Amino acid sequence: MPETKLTFKSDKFRILQITDTHINGFNGREGKVFPLLRRIIELEQPDLAAFTGDIACSQDVCVEMFGAVNALMEEFGIPYTYTYGNHETDGCAGSKLEEVLLKYPLSLYQKSPEGVPGFGNYRIPIFAGENSPKPAWYLYSIDCGNDEKYNVTPKETVSHEGYIKRGQIDWVRRVHSEDSAPSVVFCHIPLPEFNDVWMFDGVYGERHEKVYRPALNSGFFTAMWELGNFRGFFSGHDHVNSYYGYMMGIMLAYGRNSGTHCRCRRGFKRGCRVIDLSADGSLSTHIRLSDGSVPEETFRPAKYDRFNYFVR
């Protein structure tokens, strides 16, 4: 277990979600990423940074690139969690990145429990105070894997976004049933329900591309809903979606693209998502952009009624 104990230092615990920086190497373009992160850190003063994958995308320099990111975290003294993206597990780093994540003093990363598929499935407690006997929150990190091979027919196999496996869901059900608190999840690839939430519930923020979700629904959202006190699921992966909405009381939210290398949309400003947790179990969120501004995340109404859509 990491030695760092996360505690509330005020009425809110602030998390800075950093995602999809896609740092390719020290060739100049990544030079915009570090000033962006530095400025947002200075403005938001987070208690924790949560990386949700695809921080680097060149397998030759992935570990080196994250070394530079870690140096920035150490400069500000910010502990952080790390969730693998598809670019970390498609040959980019894998176990080599895990080795360094386990050594950095401010990294809260943990190896997956024995028998649980993927890299870095773990949870971190946050306490209301130094002497609090039980956690006020839990933060879950879940590995989405990389491209999955889906057997569509006996003769056709399609490569598509990975999904959360049954072993991971069983682990979450087990540990959360044994010891629970209000919880949020960080995972790189959005759940299939990220498509449902804008269709049936309405969302706040920007939606500029389709949801690049798994081809199958393995039931992770249902597990969160049945367990009862999961408050949010935060993803990356889709570079120009940064909306959030509530489905069955659970917030489904994209981070904000923090990178300069990756495919994006003209005029789409990079930034980070900020997540504020309260000791009473509630949360709120906003976007901080690279220019220092906080955009209004306008509500976009649902397209269809959830309970009538399938029977009309």
Side-chain angles (χ1 to χ4, degrees), residues 262-275:
C262 56
R263 175 181 58 83
C264 207
R265 173 188 175 92
R266 185 180 295 274
F268 187 84
K269 294 180 180 179
R270 275 61 161 188
C272 297
R273 181 167 290 284
V274 181
I275 305 152

Side-chain angles (χ1 to χ4, degrees), residues 20-62:
D20 292 86
T21 55
H22 285 267
I23 304 171
N24 279 6
F26 295 108
N27 57 12
R29 290 185 67 186
E30 76 287 338
K32 297 180 180 179
V33 173
F34 293 101
L36 179 155
L37 296 179
R38 179 173 280 104
R39 183 176 191 186
I40 292 176
I41 289 170
E42 290 172 345
L43 289 169
E44 294 291 350
Q45 297 292 303
D47 298 298
L48 174 81
F51 292 92
T52 49
D54 285 7
I55 300 305
C57 57
S58 168
Q59 67 180 46
D60 295 329
V61 295
C62 188

